Amino acid sequence: MTQSVAKSVNISNIFKAAGIRSAEVQIQEAEGMYPHKSRVEDNWSYYTAVGFKRLLKCGVYPRRMAIVGIGSGVEGIAACAVFGNCMYELFITDVDEGVVSGAAKNILGTISPDSFTIRTLVGSFCEPLAQQGIHADLIHANIPNLPAPKGADLSGGAEKGTFLRSELYEGYRPPKKYIEWALGAQFAYIQSAKDALSEKGSVITEVGGRIPLPLMQELFREHGFACEEVLVGFKEQTEALMDFKGYHEFEEKYGVSFAFYRYEQSLLTLKERGITGNVTDMSGRELKELLASHGVTAGEAIELYHQGVGVGHTVHILKGSR
């Protein structure tokens, strides 16, 4: 359980940029929570908030919703703001009891849930939901992909948002094709969701497009889900060096090449197409093709990092439906 002094952080820019609410939003950010970034587009939670709005627009009205790996609670605040008129129960989970408790306080400190309740659970993937017989209409997660180095200290939020212990997903026996692309945790999450969804429920995952998108679509299909894109975007890699090194180890071990892109050059290319923000209406395949000339591997990204050159990746929010 994480014991640390929390600091007050203003996250209003996330919700203002996503067009959700204009009021000030303050949270208490403990050491074990993924840290808020001052630049809106550097926060995965910004893409999450926009993705929730798109789901609502497409007719997704969850009555029972779960957020796996809640972190500081920002995604929970967004979920309550977007789905509050239809949702009557929100489940939030994390592997750290202190983190999930703090996240609940952050959500309740921002949203006054007159018509729904918030329940906290501790555990990996969708396991705590299934163990209690909970079936949600919508399950959302942004799962760390990289296995933690042996003996790694995962008490910090940045490390928790990047790595997870491989034993958490190894029991799901992910096939080698997913292991070599650092998708073992994604495989475990999607598989675990099958036992925690309502009959017509949907599972949402967020993934950086460093990997081949058809492989993610295949992962969904193998678990009986139809896969569709909810949101496509582009962001600069945060926690850059630890990510680049982690993915480069996979490149060396398995002979794969992850897809990163020179950040500033990519933004210029997007601007030439009339795209001035970090969210686009293009498909993931179209965006990756557009930026292909700026592509670099994880190994090359390490070199660019030491030269002070920013490197980014595409952003994908995917929905699996039964």
Side-chain angles (χ1 to χ4, degrees), residues 146-165:
L146 292 172
K150 189 174 182 179
D153 179 6
L154 300 185
S155 60
E159 289 75 17
K160 279 185 183 176
T162 303
F163 302 108
L164 84 170
R165 304 200 185 282

Side-chain angles (χ1 to χ4, degrees), residues 52 62-70 75-76 79 83 87 89-93 117 119 121 125-126 128-130 134-142 189 193 196-197 202-204:
F52 285 168
R63 301 192 68 204
R64 306 179 92 195
M65 180 174 177
I67 299 179
V68 173
I70 187 62
E75 292 88 348
F83 300 118
M87 183 174 64
E89 204 164 18
L90 174 66
F91 304 91
I92 59 174
T93 83
T117 59
R119 290 180 57 187
L121 301 168
F125 306 121
C126 299
L129 298 168
I134 296 166
H135 295 94
D137 301 314
L138 185 66
I139 300 177
H140 168 276
N142 186 351
Y189 165 58
L197 281 172
S202 299
V203 56
I204 305 292

Side-chain angles (χ1 to χ4, degrees), residues 188-244:
Y189 165 58
I190 298 300
Q191 186 178 121
S192 71
K194 294 172 65 176
D195 295 326
L197 281 172
S198 61
E199 183 178 355
K200 296 184 179 180
S202 299
V203 56
I204 305 292
T205 191
E206 302 187 4
V207 63
R210 316 167 189 90
I211 46 85
L213 290 179
L215 190 60
M216 279 301 301
Q217 296 164 348
E218 187 175 337
L219 192 159
F220 274 96
R221 286 196 303 270
E222 288 182 1
H223 288 97
F225 294 107
C227 178
E228 61 181 290
E229 289 181 327
V230 175
L231 178 143
V232 176
F234 182 70
K235 71 183 292 290
E236 187 167 7
Q237 179 68 64
T238 51
E239 290 76 47
L241 190 57
M242 69 171 77
D243 270 276
F244 297 153

Side-chain angles (χ1 to χ4, degrees), residues 259-296:
F260 293 89
Y261 307 90
R262 293 173 181 264
Y263 186 66
E264 295 298 335
Q265 292 180 8
S266 296
L267 289 183
L268 287 174
T269 296
L270 291 172
K271 188 175 181 180
E272 290 171 358
R273 283 293 190 96
I275 302 168
T276 55
N278 287 67
V279 173
T280 173
D281 289 328
M282 301 174 72
S283 70
R285 178 184 60 79
E286 290 170 336
L287 180 58
K288 288 167 76 74
E289 288 178 354
L290 177 65
L291 302 181
S293 62
H294 308 310
V296 296

